[in-house]
Amino acid sequence: MIERIGVVGAGQMGHGIAHVAALAGCEVRMADVSEDRLRAALEKIGHNLDRQLRRGVIDEYTKAKTVDQIKITTNFADFGDCDLVIEAATEKEAVKRDIFKSLIPHLRDDALLATNTSSISITRLAAATDRPSRFMGMHFMNPVPVMLLVELIRGIATDDATFEEVRELSLRMGKHPVAAEDFPAFIVNRILLPMVNEAVYTLYEGVGSVDSIDMAMKLGANHPMGPLELADFIGLDVCLSVMQVLYEGLADSKYRPCPLLVKYVEAGWLGRKTNRGFYDYNGPDPIPTR
Ligand code: NAD
């Protein structure tokens, strides 16, 4: 049974993964490039646990115990007793490969490795390690403490025991694991991002305004958020990069990124994170930009 977990990368996803792993009772070591980032991550975990406390999801004792379970480090030597290490660092293949190279000499031979990558081939990353059979994808959704899904992706060499151990851990973390094959963007992004891209085409071709497209999908398809609002939430740069991965990885013109999406990204209008995307977020209420 997986009891000690290492998390590499303490960004948006890494601190969320550390949070749910610690809440599930695991001992967690969380690493990043600097103490500052790690302290900022601990602070965010504290805020998110407070929110769960206010909502009655956890009590004071659980909060204190969860915080206590997470140790921060900038040194992979502290990962020597981990049963599983989950890599959740920057989405760049070279960064991930370098991490595995420096991490592996410190790991136990039987330790499992997982990556939270959204778009890089699990099989290719596994091949860059000394343990492709004990390597797999564990793709959490953002924000991790809130979203119930985790996609579990086997590389070509992943063995059944690894998959089962990680599946059992996912359940202990309170997640619903879904198995996906190692194809570009897995399941959720393969379906969701082409819908977002199509919404941008609908805007580009003048079929509807930002307001009418979002309202139509909220009221007509019962979506909690319109596709353009969702694009701003995800980040237009992230939407574009997933479409590029699908377009290149599957070599099918149906995944062609909408030129209007490209233009917004070129303008630096990336959505909520830059206060402007399909909506302008500078005022009290979001205002459509088209
Ligand atoms: P982020 O930029 O918020 O965090 C990445 C962290 O990795 C940063 O804190 C950075 O300092 C750290 N890092 C970089 N190089 C490192 C190294 N050598 N050693 C240790 N830490 C290092 O990114 P994120 O949004 O948390 O994404 C992380 C991973 O999760 C990516 O692979 C991404 O594709 C995937 N993912 C993201 C989302 C999302 O919605 N943001 C959803 C699912 C999966």
Side-chain angles (χ1 to χ4, degrees):
M1 190 160 109
I2 296 167
E3 282 168 335
R4 280 189 209 92
I5 297 182
V7 178
V8 183
Q12 241 185 115
M13 297 305 289
H15 73 67
I17 296 167
H19 174 144
V20 295
L23 199 53
C26 296
E27 277 180 50
V28 179
R29 288 97 173 89
M30 181 170 66
D32 206 300
V33 290
S34 73
E35 291 274 347
D36 282 356
R37 291 201 184 188
L38 287 163
R39 269 191 281 275
L42 277 184
E43 210 170 297
K44 292 211 176 101
I45 293 173
H47 285 310
N48 291 339
L49 284 167
D50 281 338
R51 189 174 307 137
Q52 290 182 311
L53 188 63
R54 282 197 302 276
R55 291 189 182 154
V57 179
I58 57 170
D59 57 20
E60 278 287 356
Y61 171 77
T62 311
K63 186 199 156 185
K65 203 168 147 236
T66 304
V67 170
D68 227 37
Q69 293 279 81
I70 305 173
K71 303 278 175 278
I72 55 174
T73 179
T74 52
N75 188 348
F76 288 147
D78 293 323
F79 282 52
D81 59 357
C82 287
D83 303 312
L84 164 74
V85 177
I86 305 173
E87 175 280 312
T90 313
E91 186 72 344
K92 290 208 172 93
E93 190 161 344
V95 169
K96 295 186 189 292
R97 280 172 179 268
D98 279 351
I99 287 172
F100 294 133
K101 204 166 142 200
S102 24
L103 169 70
I104 284 167
H106 299 284
L107 297 183
R108 280 195 338 242
D109 282 346
D110 62 344
L112 309 182
L113 268 177
T115 172
N116 187 47
T117 182
S118 298
S119 63
I120 304 168
S121 156
I122 304 299
T123 298
R124 202 164 63 231
L125 284 177
T129 74
D130 64 340
R131 59 194 76 200
S133 61
R134 292 190 298 286
F135 187 102
M136 63 183 279
M138 203 177 181
H139 187 230
F140 290 89
M141 305 292 123
N142 186 25
V144 183
V146 176
M147 299 295 282
L148 286 181
L149 182 73
V150 60
E151 291 178 309
L152 300 185
I153 308 110
R154 283 189 174 91
I156 200 166
T158 310
D159 64 27
D160 288 347
T162 300
F163 189 86
E164 272 316 309
E165 284 226 53
V166 170
R167 202 182 82 86
E168 186 275 331
L169 171 73
S170 309
L171 292 171
R172 254 191 290 142
M173 286 173 159
K175 300 297 170 203
H176 286 266
V178 163
E181 290 301 314
D182 186 17
F183 282 97
F186 315 132
I187 296 176
V188 172
N189 288 342
R190 167 86 176 254
I191 297 172
L192 192 62
L193 272 300
M195 184 201 67
V196 165
N197 194 48
E198 198 60 28
V200 186
Y201 269 115
T202 312
L203 178 69
Y204 178 62
E205 291 169 10
V207 181
S209 63
V210 168
D211 258 343
S212 51
I213 292 167
D214 275 351
M215 192 59 79
M217 291 307 287
K218 279 197 277 194
L219 300 184
N222 234 358
H223 288 189
M225 223 188 239
L228 299 172
E229 200 186 344
L230 178 64
D232 278 358
F233 180 77
I234 296 171
L236 303 193
D237 52 338
V238 176
C239 294
L240 178 59
S241 107
V242 175
M243 288 312 297
Q244 278 160 343
V245 164
L246 285 169
Y247 188 52
E248 283 155 26
L250 298 166
D252 188 331
S253 64
K254 76 177 177 181
Y255 299 112
R256 188 169 71 101
C258 178
L260 185 62
L261 178 62
V262 176
K263 203 176 283 183
Y264 268 64
V265 173
E266 282 173 350
W269 297 352
L270 307 182
R272 280 184 176 272
K273 60 185 161 191
T274 58
N275 274 334
R276 193 184 172 95
F278 294 111
Y279 294 85
D280 186 318
Y281 299 93
N282 286 299
D285 294 310
I287 303 187
T289 52
R290 275 177 106 83

